[in-house]
Amino acid sequence: MRVGIIGAGATGLAAAYELTQQGHAVAVYERSPFLGGHASTFDVGGTRLERGYHHWFTHDTDIVDLVAEIGLGDTVRWITSTVGTLYDGTIYDFVTPMDLLRFKPLSLVDRLRLGLTTVYLQRQKDWRKYESVTADAWLRSHGGGRPYDVFWGPMLRGKFGEDNYDRVSMAWVWGKINTRVKSRGKSMVREMLGYPMGSFGQVFDVLSEHIQAKGGEIHTSTSVEQIVVRDGRLVGLEAAPSDAEARLEEFDAVIATTPSPVLPAILPELPHDYMSRLSAARYMSAVLIVLVLKNPMSDVYWLNVADRSVPFVGVIEHTNLIGPEHYGGKHVVYLSNYVTTEDPLYRMGHDELLDTYLPHLQKVNPAFDRSWIEASYHHRVDYAQPIIGTDYSQRMPDHRTPVKGAYLANTTQIYPEDRGTNYSVRMGRQVARMAVEDIA
């Protein structure tokens, strides 16, 4: 069979790899001039770096296995992570149970309550019992008012904004906690994170080489204008390279890895019920400033900002996971934010956003000075974080669209897990196998 795939991120490339390994013909279409989607890379001083911070957890076996399959298993390094929380100008370590007991913004009773709430959620196996209640309501009720105001609330507001934080399902929080716990191993103390030392970009490059070696096609800088359906039957898709007219390519199946609201525009034959599910999907965009510094900001890799007066939600110091020696001795720091497209921060240009962020960096490191900055970069990633509301499993669109032969695979369908390259790879390969079985 011949399959067209829209999108050359982790999902699309994994689907293409699975299909070509089975002997099927594949053509992948990517609007951007590069591969990797949300995990794509850019050049920093001669070294490739992800536009948005990325790593793997120890249980991310789908992508780790795929990396081994394509011959890059030896590049993966497993490194002890460091986590902290910034509150009222002080960084508190959040790695061990003893760190929690030293978290002074909470009383001893509230520290214990925060710890017990987390342990309780870690031991729960059925996410369905949390699906019908918001995280805001459950955590206030079961975790206590003060722990919510100091810890949980700022995290939800930072991730989903003032307009959406109280709509998020508790099942989403359950998934986040269990993801981190599984990467701590049996000791339940130190979290181990994985990273491919050649960057995620190398993984996608080698993956694309395997696809093309099996006869697969990958077309970058090419937009899909329409999935073509005639008399209720899938015909193929119309694709337009940046320097040419659109032309029809015939396929037995099409796998779209586009965000949900994009699909109705290119497949208007979808029935109302399915289309309404797609149109109802809501996302947060990621806004990132990447700093290349002469000096380190802190000794923490992942710093949660529990202070909403600070205009960013996370400080991820990449070189506290992957050493600065890999980046010419420089220190690489992501300032991370999640906003809607209507937010003023989303609309700011590079310089304006940098000027907005910089005064707050002295809350992370009082010694910070603008002269530390050797380079800075600005990235906006749309459709970065789906907003998962209550009872979402009842509204989640199926991978099989009502148009026979047309499939959808995106981050709104990973639930109850949160988005990530591991689950994208798993989903891409699953949907590829689904298409083969259906056509057969």
Side-chain angles (χ1 to χ4, degrees):
M1 56 186 280
R2 178 167 163 79
V3 181
I5 297 175
I6 306 173
T11 305
L13 292 177
Y17 176 80
E18 178 70 23
L19 289 163
T20 55
Q21 289 296 302
Q22 294 188 33
H24 301 289
V26 168
V28 181
Y29 299 91
E30 170 56 52
R31 180 179 60 181
S32 301
F34 48 79
L35 306 177
H38 291 176
S40 62
T41 57
F42 69 110
D43 182 84
V44 175
T47 301
R48 298 173 75 174
L49 179 73
E50 291 68 35
R51 286 177 169 81
Y53 46 90
H54 276 77
H55 56 246
W56 297 321
F57 297 101
T58 55
H59 62 279
D60 284 346
T61 54
D62 291 275
I63 192 163
V64 172
D65 289 347
L66 176 60
V67 169
E69 281 183 47
I70 62 176
L72 292 177
D74 291 343
T75 70
V76 180
R77 299 290 182 271
W78 294 99
I79 306 154
T80 301
S81 174
T82 50
V83 180
T85 295
L86 177 69
Y87 185 88
D88 196 22
T90 301
I91 295 176
Y92 296 91
D93 290 335
F94 254 75
V95 177
T96 70
M98 287 303 298
D99 291 334
L100 176 58
L101 292 177
R102 299 186 188 103
F103 188 55
K104 294 181 180 179
L106 292 177
S107 68
L108 179 59
V109 171
D110 284 332
R111 292 175 220 171
L112 292 172
R113 189 166 189 176
L114 176 59
L116 290 172
T117 301
T118 305
V119 170
Y120 173 80
L121 290 169
Q122 291 170 358
R123 295 181 177 179
Q124 302 307 301
K125 303 302 181 185
D126 186 7
W127 56 269
R128 293 172 182 82
K129 65 182 181 180
Y130 299 108
E131 190 182 28
S132 297
V133 61
T134 65
D136 176 74
W138 194 96
L139 290 168
R140 285 183 187 276
S141 173
H142 294 79
R146 181 64 179 165
Y148 181 88
D149 292 339
V150 171
F151 187 80
W152 300 111
M155 301 306 172
L156 286 171
R157 284 181 168 89
K159 192 78 168 180
F160 296 102
E162 291 294 330
D163 294 334
N164 298 300
Y165 80 93
D166 56 354
R167 303 178 184 180
V168 177
S169 169
M170 186 61 196
W172 181 86
V173 175
W174 174 92
K176 294 294 285 186
I177 289 174
N178 276 265
T179 295
R180 305 305 292 247
V181 168
K182 289 178 183 177
S183 209
R184 289 178 179 265
K186 294 181 179 179
S187 67
M188 297 296 289
V189 176
R190 294 286 179 178
E191 179 181 63
M192 300 294 291
L193 300 178
Y195 185 81
M197 296 308 293
S199 82
F200 279 66
Q202 183 186 35
V203 172
F204 295 127
D205 284 348
V206 174
L207 186 58
S208 69
E209 291 169 5
H210 278 260
I211 293 166
Q212 292 174 91
K214 291 285 188 177
E217 304 170 11
I218 298 179
H219 305 279
T220 55
S221 300
T222 303
S223 298
V224 172
E225 297 187 351
Q226 185 177 3
I227 298 174
V228 180
V229 178
R230 293 175 184 163
D231 299 324
R233 184 179 69 85
L234 176 76
V235 175
L237 55 80
E238 289 182 353
S242 57
D243 58 350
E245 296 291 326
R247 65 179 186 180
L248 174 64
E249 299 287 348
E250 295 187 357
F251 294 103
D252 300 299
V254 170
I255 300 173
T257 68
T258 61
S260 291
V262 173
L263 186 61
I266 59 175
L267 186 54
E269 288 81 4
L270 290 168
H272 175 74
D273 178 65
Y274 192 85
M275 192 174 289
S276 64
R277 294 189 178 207
L278 301 179
S279 301
R282 296 291 180 266
Y283 295 80
M284 303 295 289
S285 297
V287 175
L288 300 131
I289 289 286
V290 185
L291 301 176
V292 180
L293 305 176
K294 299 176 184 177
N295 304 309
M297 282 298 297
S298 75
D299 59 358
V300 175
Y301 166 60
W302 189 282
L303 182 63
N304 294 307
V305 178
D307 179 350
R308 296 318 317 135
S309 69
V310 177
F312 42 85
V313 69
V315 181
I316 292 81
E317 194 154 350
H318 178 74
T319 42
N320 284 339
L321 187 72
I322 308 303
E325 65 273 13
H326 297 284
Y327 303 91
K330 307 305 179 184
H331 301 268
V332 177
V333 178
Y334 294 89
L335 304 180
S336 169
N337 221 336
Y338 289 89
V339 298
T340 64
T341 54
E342 292 78 28
D343 193 292
L345 294 174
Y346 178 87
R347 301 176 183 180
M348 288 182 183
H350 181 177
D351 292 340
E352 185 181 6
L353 187 62
L354 182 61
D355 289 340
T356 300
Y357 282 0
L358 288 187
H360 298 273
L361 287 180
Q362 289 186 334
K363 298 175 183 178
V364 179
N365 186 334
F368 171 79
D369 186 86
R370 192 172 189 134
S371 64
W372 290 12
I373 301 175
E374 296 208 344
S376 65
Y377 305 88
H378 176 211
H379 301 298
R380 275 196 298 256
V381 182
D382 290 329
Y383 303 106
Q385 173 65 62
I387 301 170
I388 302 300
T390 55
D391 298 318
Y392 179 71
S393 65
Q394 300 173 27
R395 305 188 307 278
M396 184 169 66
D398 193 81
H399 291 303
R400 293 180 175 92
T401 77
V403 175
K404 186 177 180 181
Y407 300 83
L408 178 66
N410 66 34
T411 54
T412 69
Q413 298 165 298
I414 292 173
Y415 182 79
E417 284 87 6
D418 195 20
R419 83 271 188 273
T421 52
N422 179 68
Y423 300 117
S424 294
V425 164
R426 178 191 300 176
M427 178 171 57
R429 300 187 82 165
Q430 286 176 341
V431 174
R433 291 192 289 267
M434 183 186 297
V436 171
E437 292 167 4
D438 288 351
I439 298 300

